[in-house]
Amino acid sequence: MANRTDPLARNVHGTNPQNLVEKIVRSKIYQNGYWKEQCFGLTAETLVDKAMELDHFGGTYGGARRPTPFLCLILKMLQIQPDKDIVVEFIKNEDYKYVRVLGAFYLRLTGTVTDVYQYLEPLYNDYRKLRRKLNDGTFALTHVDEYIDEILTKDYSCDIALPRVQRRWNLEASGVLEPRRSALEDDFEEEEEEKEEEDAEPMDTDDRHKEYYRGRSPTRERDRDRDRDRDRDRDRDRDRDRDRERKHDSYKYRDRDYDRDYDRGRDKDRDRERDRDRDRDRDRGRERERDRDRDRDLYRDREREREGGRERDRKDRDRGRSRSRSRDRYDRDRDRKRVRGSPSPQKEKKKEKREKKEKVTDGTDHPDPEIAEANRLRASLGLKPLKL
Amino acid sequence: MIEVVLNDRLGKKVRVKCNEDDTIGDLKKLVAAQTGTRPDKIRIQKWYNIYKDHITLKDYEVHDGMGLELYYN
């Protein structure tokens, strides 16, 4: 009786709002002491009092997966379904950070996409510390803006599967949202002007590998543009046909290929690309003209990775055969031509050799196909190969 | 290398190849890869002993072919 959703409550994402929490976790909450004692007969006002008493947040913990009070209050909010202005009040209040996080999480679960981005992005500026309870019962330190970033980008948090929200650049492209204006943007504009004066001479590749690199992209994007323009004509014919097919599916394949690029071990470029990914979400407004150039760069990066991978596999398989040797030389020439305007080929070759060595000890080339497949799975999970 | 059988008595029976010095947490990851649930949703038990994530199979004396119970959190 006490666990039924308020009969006047609306459907959320097409279902009873309490069903956003999975059955097993929900049962654990219903059996919990905090729920039974404190959350009985709560209304929106009394819920605020309970929320102010929170001092940590998290999902379920321990071997028996006990829920935290935070999770119980979330389920209570889903049950009574407070009005949107009450939730916005939760988010806007400055004094109690856990009330803020509670409201933000509830809005993320129940709100529309525009609401989510509109109300949660101001919280990026809140840098206070939070105490988070982990799965094994210990506490960890995190910050409000870190957590907001997590719930906006990941699809699982605090043992609840978060409803899907579209990426920010999709919404900007369709005009629903304004491009994001970061609070730090003014500071970076100043730095950008300084950088422009310094970069009067043309860049060479070493500059890109300097130890110091800016976390945000504006200067780097411009330098990358200059190099990219230099190579564009040379590569255009070769890439044009391939690009035409790929452009259809660009958005579908984009994120997956980014993940593939991460695993390939291009350490120097990994941080740059990761920042580039984050930057795409943050500095969209400034980079609108450069979007097209970035797309072309992405394709070229992906193709280079694919070529490099194929060449590597061929080297492994056909080690002694002369046929592959001439083919490798042909590929190497093509790659060298294409690679001229990018991180130096020697560094890439070294990385290939290192990866080749790692692959050999992986056990993935075991004659027994079952064991080879098991080893491949273990390698993808980060475990050592099977000991036979 | 040992092969462990996990059964949840509701239709999911999974055979997993692993090392003896893998932890229960690693075993959960392998099981999750095969069944499709998340690794933190899986609970591995033997009667009423819930197996903890940081202890190796060797220390729990899990041998080749042994059956474990699969539950969900």
Side-chain angles (χ1 to χ4, degrees), chain A residues 22 24-25 28 60 63-65 135 155-156 159 370-371 374 377-378 381 383-388, chain B residues 1-3 17-23 25-27 29-31 33-34 38 40-41 43 50 72-73:
Chain A
E22 285 171 3
I24 297 182
V25 178
K28 290 272 160 68
T60 56
R65 309 244 58 89
N135 280 342
D155 59 355
Y156 198 79
D159 282 322
E370 271 187 40
I371 299 190
L377 174 62
R378 291 175 71 92
L381 291 172
L383 301 170
K384 281 184 268 183
L386 290 170
K387 276 185 223 130
L388 300 160
Chain B
M1 176 188 84
I2 58 177
E3 194 170 22
K17 288 191 186 20
C18 50
N19 286 332
E20 279 186 327
D21 55 358
D22 279 343
T23 60
D26 300 339
L27 182 62
K29 284 189 208 167
L30 292 167
V31 170
Q34 270 189 270
R38 303 178 74 94
D40 46 346
K41 294 262 162 231
R43 197 166 77 217
I50 302 181
Y72 299 99
N73 274 323

Side-chain angles (χ1 to χ4, degrees), chain A residues 219-274:
Chain A
T219 58
R220 263 187 289 119
E221 294 284 75
R222 196 171 301 115
D223 297 330
R224 213 184 292 133
D225 276 354
R226 216 176 289 132
D227 283 340
R228 209 180 301 129
D229 289 344
R230 222 190 297 150
D231 288 340
R232 204 192 306 165
D233 289 357
R234 214 179 290 134
D235 297 343
R236 191 189 286 162
D237 292 345
R238 207 182 299 131
D239 295 345
R240 201 192 307 143
D241 291 343
R242 241 175 281 148
D243 279 356
R244 216 181 287 139
E245 295 161 17
R246 288 223 187 87
K247 265 192 170 82
H248 289 304
D249 306 329
S250 64
Y251 286 116
K252 224 194 294 169
Y253 292 138
R254 190 189 292 239
D255 288 338
R256 226 188 297 148
D257 282 333
Y258 252 139
D259 292 344
R260 207 190 304 149
D261 282 349
Y262 285 162
D263 295 336
R264 284 299 168 83
R266 287 174 67 181
D267 292 335
K268 290 258 172 66
D269 293 340
R270 198 190 291 159
D271 290 333
R272 187 152 44 99
E273 290 190 6
R274 196 188 305 138

Side-chain angles (χ1 to χ4, degrees), chain A residues 34-152:
Chain A
Y34 185 81
W35 172 268
K36 288 182 184 169
E37 293 168 19
Q38 316 286 349
C39 298
F40 183 78
L42 274 191
T43 62
E45 297 88 34
T46 44
L47 189 129
V48 180
D49 303 327
K50 290 278 176 231
M52 294 198 303
E53 291 166 16
L54 282 175
D55 66 347
H56 66 278
F57 77 98
T60 56
Y61 63 94
R65 309 244 58 89
R66 293 190 59 195
T68 55
F70 179 84
L71 199 59
C72 296
L73 286 178
I74 284 285
L75 188 62
K76 197 68 194 176
M77 284 178 85
L78 286 170
Q79 191 182 23
I80 60 178
Q81 211 166 71
D83 294 329
K84 188 168 150 199
D85 11 340
I86 301 186
V87 180
V88 171
E89 271 311 305
F90 274 30
I91 298 179
K92 283 205 182 136
N93 103 96
E94 296 264 336
D95 305 323
Y96 297 94
K97 48 194 180 181
Y98 291 103
V99 176
R100 222 176 194 187
V101 173
L102 188 78
F105 195 69
Y106 179 79
L107 188 64
R108 173 69 174 86
L109 289 178
T110 56
T112 61
V113 180
T114 34
D115 282 343
V116 166
Y117 278 110
Q118 191 187 336
Y119 288 112
L120 262 50
E121 281 194 343
L123 292 181
Y124 270 133
N125 300 329
D126 188 345
Y127 46 82
R128 289 179 286 187
K129 294 188 200 167
L130 289 176
R131 196 188 290 146
R132 181 180 203 157
K133 195 144 196 172
L134 301 172
N135 280 342
D136 49 5
T138 53
F139 286 104
L141 174 69
T142 180
H143 300 84
V144 177
D145 51 353
E146 255 182 79
Y147 187 60
I148 297 294
D149 191 43
E150 186 186 314
I151 59 178
L152 281 180

Side-chain angles (χ1 to χ4, degrees), chain A residues 149-338:
Chain A
D149 191 43
E150 186 186 314
I151 59 178
L152 281 180
T153 47
K154 303 262 171 52
D155 59 355
Y156 198 79
S157 175
C158 285
D159 282 322
I160 299 182
L162 304 173
R164 292 284 162 87
V165 285
Q166 291 140 325
R167 297 278 167 175
R168 201 173 206 295
W169 37 267
N170 276 337
L171 295 170
E172 282 174 22
S174 63
V176 174
L177 277 182
E178 294 291 311
R180 179 158 182 270
R181 204 178 157 72
S182 158
L184 298 170
E185 203 158 298
D186 301 324
D187 297 340
F188 280 108
E189 273 172 9
E190 291 174 16
E191 281 184 21
E192 208 179 293
E193 286 163 12
E194 294 171 15
K195 270 279 140 192
E196 268 193 46
E197 295 157 14
E198 288 180 21
D199 286 336
E201 67 276 5
M203 286 267 290
D204 53 337
T205 51
D206 285 338
D207 279 358
R208 230 181 277 142
H209 292 301
K210 260 196 227 168
E211 266 325 293
Y212 105 110
Y213 65 90
R214 299 263 115 194
R216 303 296 166 92
S217 64
T219 58
R220 263 187 289 119
E221 294 284 75
R222 196 171 301 115
D223 297 330
R224 213 184 292 133
D225 276 354
R226 216 176 289 132
D227 283 340
R228 209 180 301 129
D229 289 344
R230 222 190 297 150
D231 288 340
R232 204 192 306 165
D233 289 357
R234 214 179 290 134
D235 297 343
R236 191 189 286 162
D237 292 345
R238 207 182 299 131
D239 295 345
R240 201 192 307 143
D241 291 343
R242 241 175 281 148
D243 279 356
R244 216 181 287 139
E245 295 161 17
R246 288 223 187 87
K247 265 192 170 82
H248 289 304
D249 306 329
S250 64
Y251 286 116
K252 224 194 294 169
Y253 292 138
R254 190 189 292 239
D255 288 338
R256 226 188 297 148
D257 282 333
Y258 252 139
D259 292 344
R260 207 190 304 149
D261 282 349
Y262 285 162
D263 295 336
R264 284 299 168 83
R266 287 174 67 181
D267 292 335
K268 290 258 172 66
D269 293 340
R270 198 190 291 159
D271 290 333
R272 187 152 44 99
E273 290 190 6
R274 196 188 305 138
D275 284 341
R276 210 195 303 167
D277 198 18
R278 216 189 303 143
D279 296 337
R280 192 181 301 119
D281 290 342
R282 300 250 180 108
D283 300 323
R284 220 47 200 169
R286 200 176 307 138
E287 298 165 4
R288 203 164 280 194
E289 318 88 58
R290 293 197 211 102
D291 276 0
R292 232 174 296 123
D293 285 350
R294 197 188 293 119
D295 287 352
R296 221 175 293 136
D297 194 32
L298 272 179
Y299 294 135
R300 197 165 304 118
D301 279 353
R302 239 184 286 145
E303 286 159 20
R304 222 181 293 135
E305 286 297 347
R306 277 209 200 98
E307 284 297 312
R310 242 182 278 140
E311 181 187 67
R312 239 179 287 140
D313 286 347
R314 222 177 284 127
K315 275 197 188 131
D316 279 342
R317 252 183 281 124
D318 308 339
R319 216 166 278 182
R321 293 207 251 157
S322 58
R323 177 164 41 99
S324 63
R325 223 178 286 146
S326 59
R327 203 185 294 149
D328 285 351
R329 212 179 297 136
Y330 167 68
D331 273 348
R332 223 178 297 136
D333 281 346
R334 263 181 51 211
D335 274 1
R336 199 177 301 134
K337 260 199 245 166
R338 191 183 298 163

